[in-house]
């Protein structure tokens, strides 16, 4: 099996969407091909990070929106003076409610 073929199927391999014989061929390739094994590990790590990110988001969507609305109410001048596609505004420290 060629590296290019293996790389193409790695995603499906991770999801176990391939036939058993196909899985075994890729597994065998990974055992003797460090480059593809490395690629497989990177994908696995990226997916793991993604999973963790989904399970424990830093800020929930609702919270983000609430903060933005809060800011707009408290600092209306900041919004008006900011052109649409300028750099994102760094958030000023808000007094505790
Ligand atoms: Zn390879």
């Amino acid at each position: 099996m060629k590296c290019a073929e293996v790389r193409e199927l790695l995603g499906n391999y991770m999801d176990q969407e391939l036939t058993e014989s196909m899985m075994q061929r890729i597994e065998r390739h990974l055992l003797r091909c460090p480059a593809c094994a490395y690629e497989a590990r990177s994908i696995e790590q990226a997916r793991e990070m993604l999973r963790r990110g989904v399970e424990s988001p830093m800020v929930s969507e609702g919270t983000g929106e609430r903060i933005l609305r809060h800011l707009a109410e408290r600092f209306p001048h900041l919004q008006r003076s900011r052109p649409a596609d300028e750099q994102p505004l760094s958030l000023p420290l808000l007094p505790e409610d």
Side-chain angles (χ1 to χ4, degrees):
M1 209 169 184
K2 284 191 209 124
C3 288
E5 289 176 278
V6 172
R7 306 286 171 102
E8 220 164 282
L9 293 170
L10 270 182
N12 298 325
Y13 170 74
M14 302 278 182
D15 291 333
Q16 309 195 334
E17 287 170 353
L18 303 170
T19 61
E20 200 169 314
S21 67
M22 204 59 151
M23 299 280 292
Q24 278 169 6
R25 284 172 70 185
I26 292 181
E27 221 156 277
R28 266 203 303 276
H29 182 99
L30 293 181
L31 283 177
R32 60 179 172 74
C33 178
C36 287
Y38 178 83
E39 185 77 17
R41 248 198 325 274
S42 320
I43 293 177
E44 212 175 345
Q45 276 168 7
R47 288 187 170 204
E48 182 60 34
M49 269 164 56
L50 225 64
R51 247 200 315 275
R52 271 206 297 270
V54 167
E55 278 167 13
S56 57
M58 303 264 287
V59 180
S60 74
E61 278 179 45
T63 308
E65 266 171 45
R66 241 187 349 262
I67 292 173
L68 283 178
R69 221 175 14 249
H70 188 72
L71 277 177
E73 282 165 13
R74 219 170 259 251
F75 307 100
H77 59 285
L78 289 180
Q79 278 208 323
R80 251 182 280 127
S81 67
R82 190 162 60 99
D85 48 13
E86 214 190 280
Q87 298 259 326
L89 195 67
S90 61
L91 300 182
L93 284 175
L94 291 174
E96 297 274 282
D97 274 325

